[in-house]
Structures are given as structure tokens and as C-alpha cells.
Amino acid sequence: MIVAAVVGAATVAAMPGVAAAEGVDALNQGKYCAMLVDKAPEGKVSPVLAEICSDTSAADVDARIVAESARIAASRGVEAAAPIPIMYWYENIHYNLDSPGGFTTIYGNSGSCDSSGYRVEPSSWWKARLSSLLGNNDCYAAKVHNRALSSAETFGLTYGGSGWWLGGYSDNVGLVQAYNG
């Protein structure tokens, strides 16, 4: 099942139109985008270590995220571990398969998800556009909070799970806590 989810995520990410970003934050414009986050301190949001977009290719973004993770590890005096994709964000329902839209890969700098996972606050652009989620590397559940942080719902992040459409949270996301659930 894990292999199928990884293959499914890679397949969805590689489909035409899926990676077309139609308006990320001003500093991160590009067709292919990624965010590198670290584990959250208790009760806090995961620190964003890097946000990278490129018009070149998804492989360019991947290489730049890996290089940035290595640079961060070196500055901390620790051995670098390759960041891993933990989540995929889609602007449209059904993983952008029915309609092209924005797409971002979220990378975990501290390994795969455990029971506490990663708590990621979307950029202002994504808060108003995030409509479906797909998980990877043990991040197969997510608690999604609305922008007001006044309500939350849990979604399954396996391919075809409830994350294919965020319902009342679609285009209204203030926080995503992806975890091994």
C-alpha cells in the first residue's frame, strides 16, 4: 500500500497541468514549487526552512530543496539527511486532474511523519486556494483547520481518500497537520 501511494503521488505530480502554479506568493513565482519544513516544536507551527519555485522543472526544484537542506544541516553542524516529500497540495479538487491549477510539494526535513507529524501553515495564496491534499512517506492523515482556526476536520491523505476534496475547508485552510494516522 505504501508503494502504491508513493507511485500514485508521483503519477499525479507528473500529470500534465498538475504542476502549473497560477499565482504563488510574490517571492516564490514559478510553475514548479516546493516548501521545506522542519518538525514543529510542541504546540507550534513547523518552521519553514525554504520555499522554492522554478519555471525550469520539478527536478530543478527537487535538486534545489536537497541543496538547501544540506546547507542548513552544514550550518547547524549536523549530518545532512535528504528531505522527503510528505505532502502534495493542489489548487483544485481531485488532485488537479479535472482542472489544472497550482501545485506544491511539501518536504519534511526531519524524516517521515510520526504521530505528531508536521504542522504547516499555508501561505496567504494557498490559504484561499487549497482544495485537495495527498500524503506521502507515512503522512496519510491530516487535520485541516479553517483560516479562522475555529474548526478542524481530519482527512485521509491516501490516493482516493477523503483528501481529494476538502469540502467546507476547500479554499479556506489556515493550518494543515499531516501525521501518521
Side-chain angles (χ1 to χ4, degrees):
M1 181 167 151
I2 292 172
V3 172
V6 171
V7 170
T11 301
V12 170
M15 291 180 169
V18 171
E22 302 205 358
V24 292
D25 287 342
L27 296 175
N28 297 312
Q29 293 185 3
K31 190 173 178 181
Y32 308 95
C33 296
M35 180 189 301
L36 178 66
V37 297
D38 220 341
K39 290 281 186 163
E42 185 66 35
K44 305 277 187 198
V45 173
S46 293
V48 176
L49 305 176
E51 291 182 85
I52 297 173
C53 291
S54 170
D55 283 326
T56 305
S57 69
D60 176 51
V61 171
D62 291 342
R64 291 171 58 194
I65 283 288
V66 169
E68 184 62 16
S69 179
R71 187 197 66 72
I72 291 166
S75 73
R76 293 177 177 173
V78 297
E79 187 175 328
I84 60 171
I86 58 168
M87 221 179 347
Y88 305 96
W89 289 0
Y90 301 91
E91 181 178 2
N92 297 308
I93 66 170
H94 200 224
Y95 319 115
N96 288 351
L97 293 174
D98 302 326
S99 174
F103 170 82
T104 293
T105 302
I106 309 299
Y107 285 85
N109 198 52
S110 299
S112 61
C113 281
D114 54 19
S115 60
S116 59
Y118 291 84
R119 293 172 50 91
V120 184
E121 181 179 4
S123 67
S124 59
W125 190 88
W126 274 114
K127 285 180 180 186
R129 290 173 179 82
L130 186 55
S131 293
S132 60
L133 298 166
L134 188 62
N136 198 5
N137 289 303
D138 294 330
C139 295
Y140 296 121
K143 187 172 186 178
V144 176
H145 299 258
N146 67 356
R147 281 193 268 179
L149 302 178
S150 61
S151 67
E153 187 173 324
T154 299
F155 293 88
L157 300 188
T158 57
Y159 186 79
S162 59
W164 76 274
W165 178 50
L166 301 179
Y169 294 86
S170 186
D171 302 336
N172 181 25
V173 177
L175 183 69
V176 178
Q177 181 177 2
Y179 59 94
N180 182 349

